[in-house]
Amino acid sequence: CDFDNDDPTVAQANLDADIAAWVAAQTAVITGSLTGGSPAVSNDFTNQSIDLCTGGDLTVTWTIDDICETITPTATYSLTTPTVVSFTNPTDNTVQSCDFDDQNELNTAFDNWVVAQSAAITISNGCSPVLSNNSTSVSAPLLCDGGTTTVTWTITDLCETINITADFNLTLPTAISFTNPADNNVQSCDFDNQTEVNTAFDNWVIAQSAAIAPTNGCTPVLSNNSTSVSAPVLCDGGTTTVTWTITDLCETINTITADFNLT
């Protein structure tokens, strides 16, 4: 870690330079300490290296020669590798489409989850590890499609690159279910006037709306077009078709119809 650099090639070059400088310094120490005779100092260092991320020892032998003696002192350059990076894994998240009003709210929840998990990934050891993620190149699932978005976090330091992932899961609502409305068949002779027909028609619409009773989905809302149609005319007879529409966050069902028949 003493040679930490964003570029491992530069870090290795700095290590190699330090080894060479150490050999030169030790040679100078030996030379400066010599007494007696006219000894010559040499060594067996030929720019050997230690792999930055493997570590190890490099032993250099110096030879001191004079007319009566040959002395071969040694010294070792030791490189200790960093302790392996340790980290806390991010946590998956599962949410429901019905928890959100629109896609923007879902996107915000996704972004907040990424931020929270990034903060929760506690990194230690290694050499100045840096955390990044790919959340800007992925997106939250679509509100009404559901699915999973996987985010990858990358821990990079001098000697390691570690990829870790977590999932943001979006569960769709259960499909809307409902009871179909029932047709109604009445006779003109059942009524004294048009007002009674209209009232019977209105009451039938109310009863069928209550009977449809939509469930599941995301808080489905029921409406109908009865205000834009009218009951058959008392002495003309015929059929009035009412259409009910169920709308929720992810579904619109407008194929529910029933007939009010006047004979």
Side-chain angles (χ1 to χ4, degrees):
C1 292
D2 293 336
F3 305 97
D4 198 7
N5 191 282
D6 290 340
D7 186 343
T9 303
V10 172
Q12 182 68 55
N14 290 341
L15 169 61
D16 293 343
D18 193 67
I19 294 172
W22 170 77
V23 172
Q26 299 316 302
T27 302
V29 167
I30 293 170
T31 302
S33 67
L34 293 173
T35 58
S38 300
V41 179
S42 61
N43 62 64
D44 62 355
F45 178 68
T46 55
N47 296 319
Q48 298 98 311
S49 181
I50 302 172
D51 183 78
L52 182 69
C53 294
T54 303
D57 298 327
L58 173 61
T59 298
V60 176
T61 300
W62 283 263
T63 300
I64 305 169
D65 277 320
D66 80 343
I67 192 169
C68 292
E69 287 185 274
T70 297
I71 305 170
T72 55
T74 63
T76 300
Y77 186 104
S78 298
L79 179 68
T80 302
T81 56
T83 305
V84 174
V85 171
S86 61
F87 57 90
T88 304
N89 277 299
T91 304
D92 297 338
N93 193 27
T94 298
V95 295
Q96 310 289 324
S97 292
C98 293
D99 294 339
F100 308 98
D101 291 330
D102 53 40
Q103 185 68 43
N104 286 336
E105 281 192 8
L106 175 59
N107 292 344
T108 298
F110 172 75
D111 293 341
N112 290 341
W113 170 76
V114 171
V115 170
Q117 297 315 303
S118 297
I121 298 172
T122 304
I123 307 170
S124 57
N125 302 325
C127 297
S128 306
V130 175
L131 180 68
S132 61
N133 66 70
N134 71 335
S135 62
T136 59
S137 62
V138 296
S139 56
L142 294 179
L143 186 62
C144 293
D145 289 348
T148 296
T149 296
T150 299
V151 174
T152 300
W153 283 264
T154 300
I155 302 171
T156 305
D157 82 335
L158 182 65
C159 291
E160 290 187 86
T161 298
I162 302 168
N163 292 319
I164 50 181
T165 62
D167 294 333
F168 185 92
N169 305 299
L170 178 66
T171 303
L172 288 175
T174 305
I176 293 172
S177 61
F178 59 91
T179 303
N180 278 300
D183 295 339
N184 194 27
N185 298 303
V186 295
Q187 308 290 320
S188 292
C189 293
D190 294 338
F191 307 101
D192 291 332
N193 52 51
Q194 184 66 43
T195 298
E196 286 190 5
V197 176
N198 294 345
T199 299
F201 173 76
D202 292 342
N203 290 340
W204 169 76
V205 171
I206 291 170
Q208 298 316 303
S209 297
I212 290 171
T215 57
N216 301 324
C218 297
T219 318
V221 175
L222 180 68
S223 60
N224 65 70
N225 71 335
S226 62
T227 58
S228 61
V229 295
S230 56
V233 176
L234 180 64
C235 293
D236 291 347
T239 296
T240 296
T241 299
V242 174
T243 299
W244 284 264
T245 299
I246 301 173
T247 304
D248 84 334
L249 180 68
C250 292
E251 286 188 270
T252 296
I253 303 170
N254 54 14
T255 55
I256 311 168
T257 62
D259 295 332
F260 184 92
N261 302 300
L262 178 65
T263 302

